[in-house]
Structure formats: C-alpha cells, structure tokens
Amino acid sequence: MVIRRVLAPRIDFGALRRELGLPESFPAAAQREADTAAAAPPPAVADRTDVPFVTVDPATSRDLDQAMHLARRPGGGYRVRYAIADVFTHVRPRGELEAETWRRGQTVYLPDGNVPLHPHTLSEGAASLLPDADRAAVLWTIDLDADGGTVAVTLERALVRSRAKLDYGGVQRDADAGRLPEPIALLPEIGALLTTRGLHRGAINLPLPEQDVEPDGDGWRLVLRGPGAMEEHNAQISLLTGMAAADIMLAGRIGLLRTMPRPRAEAVERLRTAAGPLGVPWPDGVPVGQVLAGLDASRPRAAAFVDQAAELMRGAAYTAFDGAVPEQPEHGGVAAAYAHVTAPLRRLADRYATEACLALHEGREVPEHVRAALPKLPEVMATTDRTAGAATRGAIELAEAVLLAHRVGETFEAAVLDVDEPRPAGNGRAGRPPGGTVALDEPPVRARCVGDLPLGERVRVRLTVADPVERKVAFERA
C-alpha cells in the first residue's frame, strides 16, 4: 500500500554507479554462454505444466524467481506448490558465465535500471518464470496440516508453465474484493496460519515502511510504502520453503544457512524499557514479535518503537557447513533454521543451496562442484550485500537531496524515530551534540536532526543541508 508519494525532478544515478564500481555489461564470453543457454530446448524433466501456477511480484519486475499454486488436501490441510527458477540448468559449471556471477554475487537494483546477476536473456527471458511459456524449475511441494504445520516435503526438477503475472497491488485489491484467482485463493488463509505459527515460536517481523525511488515520466517519485497484507502472506510461503530447505541440509549435514543470533536478553529489556514512554503496551509474557505485530507503524510513537526494535535484528550472515552442524544454525528473526533458496535469479547463494537440497533429497552425494562452492559463498554474499545496500541507500539519499535542494531554511513537521546520547569531546574524539533521526510527513524523508528531541513525539524541524553532490540532508529542531 502506498502511504506517501512525492515527485522529484530528473536525477542522474551515474555517479553512484561509478562510485560503487558496478559493471555496465557482461563480458562477451559470459554473454555468449547465456545466449546459447537461452536458445537451448527445455530439459527432459518431470512435466508439471498442467499445474496452473501464477507469479506475484512488483508490477515492473521481469526477473521472476517464484511461481505458486495452493490447494486443499483431501482429508484436511493444504498443499503448497512453489516453483523456483532452475538457474543451475542454464549456467555451465566452471564456465565464463558462472565466473561472472561470482564476481557480481547478486542483482543490484537502482531506480534507472538494475545491474543483474545474470544477463537479461536469462534473468528476464529464458530462465524467468514469465507467463505462457514452459520453464525449467525446481518444484517444492510442501504439505501442511490444518494448523499450517509441515507434514511432508518433496522437491524435483520439473517443467512448469505460469498462467499469469500478478502484482502485489492488484492481488491486494482482488483479496479485498474477495476475488483472488484460484491458484492463490488460499494465500490469505495459509499466510495467516504461517504468521501465527511464527509468532508462537518467537519470530520477529519489523513492520517498517519501505522507502523507494520510482520513475515518473521525466522525473522520479520518492515513495513510502507500508507492508501490504498480501505481500506479507506471500513472504510466508518463501519463509516456509527456506525452513524446509534448512531442515534438509541440516539432516544431510551439509549446506548453506542464513543465520542470525537470537536477540540478546539485555537488548529486549532495553526495548521493553522504551515501550512505556512510547505508549506501547507490552503485557508480561508476550514475546516481542507479537508486540510488533500489533502496531500501526504509521503512528509516530509506534514508528519510533519499531525503529528501536531494529537493534534486535543484528548479525545476519551466511553459514556454510560440511560434516558438522553449526553450533548456532537458526535465524533469530525467523526463530528457526532457514536458508535462501527462493531467489536464484537474483542471489548467487540460492543456486548452490538448492543443488545441495536436491542431491540430499534424492539420496545422492552433493556434487563436488557444489560442495567446493559452499564455504566460499559467505564472503562473496557479505561483500555484495554491502554493495547492494549502499546502492539502495545512495539512491534514496540522492533523491532526498535533489528533492529538497531548493528548500533549505524551510520548516517541516516530523516524527522523532531515534535519539542519540550526546557525547562530550575528549581524548582525541570529537563531541556529538544532542540529536537523532526524524521522519518528515511531507516529503517522505528520513534524516539526521540536531537538537533536543523527544523520542516518539512530533516536532518542527528546519532544513539546514540538502546537498545532491554529497547526497546529504540534515535538519535542526526549529
């Protein structure tokens, strides 16, 4: 759901691309391999084109990793079919294309176009689960009981055919009107069950609005969106699959997990201390995830609490293992063991974790090529995560600075999301005046502000800096 949308003028993101060293094209040999793979006939695998899959993605996406079909099981419960693009079929081991994907690590998204992990002939063509075309996929079939508990998991290489490319906005409207298409008619029901199960085991989901920059004619829109219900339900299917993959790899004692420590007790206690002054009810015995799930993050005090809760979600990493199970295999946000396997067009790690799962499920040895790749992936993914994060932050900061460049000196209404402790100068260390982070009502900008700031309250702030070259915006309390 769009919360706020403001038009920004023309913006050149070229300097940001150059600063991050993002490639402009694929090496000729890698591109040739991709083109050859794209022109090859579909592999001889199980034919599941009779299942009416659909995809659900942002409206402009063409790199479609996942297709879904949901049904009731005879006798009760549900059957989740989740088809994931079979990228391994298109990328030759030890070839030039594989080497280039290791250099890139993941797709980097910028407002003026993405920097893809794979050439567009694959990522937006032959490997993408676009509608009305037969595509190679790894098909997860997960049977659930009536309460959403997993009772059986199978996976196989298969040929699938999506019937429609759906988008989050349209799916949400259809859900609100009670007219969801048959392949995902059960998504609200299953998604709600999976969410409830997650909260009961201690999962934490931060309901943070997402800030983005979108094209708008000759200019750009700075957009702030809250998470829509159907988008959250869709994410639960991906989490379900990732947990199933983790269980397979842990049982086989080899694989690649997405891990994060559980929140430290002292961090949870600090958050509990902040709840009272912010007016957030937190009854005894209620886990933090359930407290967060009941908040309306569009309210300033709730938004400040959610911002404070982000401190709980630290230390995410990829953990490879072979022989010995990791001492800490869980992801604290999921409250379970979890793996990335559902976005292989966009993330390198998913391709290899999926291959490990297929081998283990079929009772065969994990291919040596995959086994050798697993311990190298955490470093590659950590490096490219930083690049992708810097690209997202840099694009938003640039759009904010351009949007506000002509408004220095003006005052705005804002909510105080975070407050810094002032720090005196000394021992060669610069001092830090009182201040924190504020979120403007209009335009939807989040930035630093100096001055005495009451956490979770509304204040007037004055714009002091809006520098597109430095990509910097700053305020002071008015």
Side-chain angles (χ1 to χ4, degrees):
M1 177 180 66
V2 175
I3 298 176
R4 295 198 294 273
R5 183 186 300 256
V6 176
L7 184 66
R10 283 182 174 272
I11 303 174
D12 180 8
F13 295 95
L16 180 59
R17 289 171 175 270
R18 292 187 293 273
E19 177 185 316
L20 296 174
L22 299 176
E24 296 181 0
S25 61
F26 282 82
Q31 184 67 55
R32 281 196 300 271
E33 280 191 23
D35 295 344
T36 299
V45 291
D47 188 340
R48 304 291 182 238
T49 55
D50 60 316
V51 180
F53 288 101
V54 297
T55 60
V56 184
D57 291 274
T60 59
S61 295
R62 288 188 56 80
D63 50 348
L64 311 183
D65 288 288
Q66 311 110 10
M68 185 189 315
H69 181 270
L70 309 174
R72 296 193 188 278
R73 293 171 58 218
Y78 309 90
R79 172 157 291 177
V80 174
R81 292 186 179 97
Y82 208 38
I84 308 301
D86 187 1
V87 179
F88 214 91
T89 294
H90 299 279
V91 180
R92 179 168 58 86
R94 302 178 183 85
E96 293 297 324
L97 177 56
E98 184 189 52
E100 180 62 17
T101 61
W102 275 79
R103 285 188 282 271
R104 295 182 178 226
Q106 62 185 284
T107 297
V108 176
Y109 292 92
L110 284 167
D112 60 348
N114 62 19
V115 182
L117 176 60
H118 304 90
H120 285 140
T121 50
L122 292 178
S123 63
E124 298 185 0
S128 178
L129 303 183
L130 295 164
D132 302 321
D134 293 349
R135 291 289 187 258
V138 175
L139 178 56
W140 293 80
T141 301
I142 305 176
D143 286 343
L144 308 176
D145 62 22
D147 295 321
T150 299
V151 295
V153 178
T154 60
L155 65 158
E156 62 181 347
R157 283 202 149 90
L159 203 63
V160 302
R161 188 178 185 89
S162 171
R163 302 303 198 268
K165 178 183 181 296
L166 308 179
D167 65 87
Y168 291 127
V171 166
Q172 187 64 60
R173 290 189 294 273
D174 285 346
D176 293 342
R179 57 168 187 261
L180 281 170
E182 182 272 332
I184 58 168
L186 292 173
L187 185 55
E189 187 175 331
I190 296 173
L193 283 173
L194 295 176
T195 297
T196 299
R197 292 184 68 87
L199 292 175
H200 285 165
R201 68 174 181 265
I204 300 172
N205 179 42
L206 298 178
L208 287 168
E210 180 181 348
Q211 198 174 13
D212 204 0
V213 182
E214 297 179 345
D216 189 333
D218 291 336
W220 302 89
R221 291 190 300 263
L222 188 62
V223 176
L224 191 67
R225 290 188 182 90
M230 292 303 294
E231 193 168 350
E232 293 292 327
H233 295 327
N234 191 54
Q236 288 297 324
I237 303 300
S238 182
L239 287 172
L240 172 72
T241 308
M243 289 187 288
D247 288 345
I248 289 172
M249 290 186 284
L250 287 169
R253 307 180 74 83
I254 180 172
L256 182 71
L257 303 177
R258 185 63 167 163
T259 58
M260 189 178 77
R262 291 229 178 189
R264 300 188 311 277
E266 57 269 27
V268 175
E269 193 55 38
R270 283 197 300 271
L271 184 63
R272 183 183 287 275
T273 301
L278 290 173
V280 173
W282 193 336
D284 290 342
V286 175
V288 61
Q290 292 188 29
V291 174
L292 288 163
L295 296 182
D296 176 4
S298 66
R299 293 173 45 243
R301 287 188 164 200
F305 184 81
V306 172
D307 193 82
Q308 301 296 301
E311 293 299 318
L312 304 178
M313 311 288 278
R314 302 293 185 191
Y318 288 89
T319 300
F321 62 102
D322 189 348
V325 171
E327 184 177 341
Q328 200 300 97
E330 291 193 351
H331 187 290
V334 181
Y338 168 68
H340 276 169
V341 293
T342 62
L345 285 173
R346 292 171 278 173
R347 283 191 306 246
L348 180 68
D350 298 44
R351 186 198 313 167
Y352 295 91
T354 295
E355 288 305 302
C357 287
L358 277 165
L360 293 169
H361 183 73
E362 294 168 3
R364 55 184 173 86
E365 289 292 320
V366 174
E368 186 55 39
H369 171 245
V370 174
R371 186 182 294 268
L374 293 175
K376 302 174 186 176
L377 283 164
E379 182 178 355
V380 171
M381 297 309 298
T383 299
T384 57
D385 276 345
R386 288 191 292 271
T387 300
T392 299
R393 289 192 305 274
I396 291 170
E397 290 165 354
L398 177 57
E400 289 177 335
V402 170
L403 182 67
L404 292 172
H406 64 291
R407 302 184 68 178
V408 172
E410 291 186 29
T411 59
F412 302 83
E413 288 284 338
V416 179
L417 298 183
D418 191 23
V419 175
D420 296 331
E421 290 293 330
R423 183 179 64 199
N427 298 323
R429 186 178 62 180
R432 181 172 63 192
T437 303
V438 297
L440 271 61
D441 293 341
E442 291 292 345
V445 169
R446 174 177 169 150
R448 303 295 301 167
C449 180
V450 297
D452 292 318
L453 300 174
L455 183 65
E457 300 296 332
R458 299 182 64 77
V459 296
R460 295 287 296 179
V461 298
R462 181 178 294 105
L463 179 63
T464 57
V465 177
D467 185 345
V469 175
E470 296 293 327
R471 300 197 299 272
K472 181 179 179 180
V473 171
F475 295 87
E476 64 182 11
R477 185 168 182 184

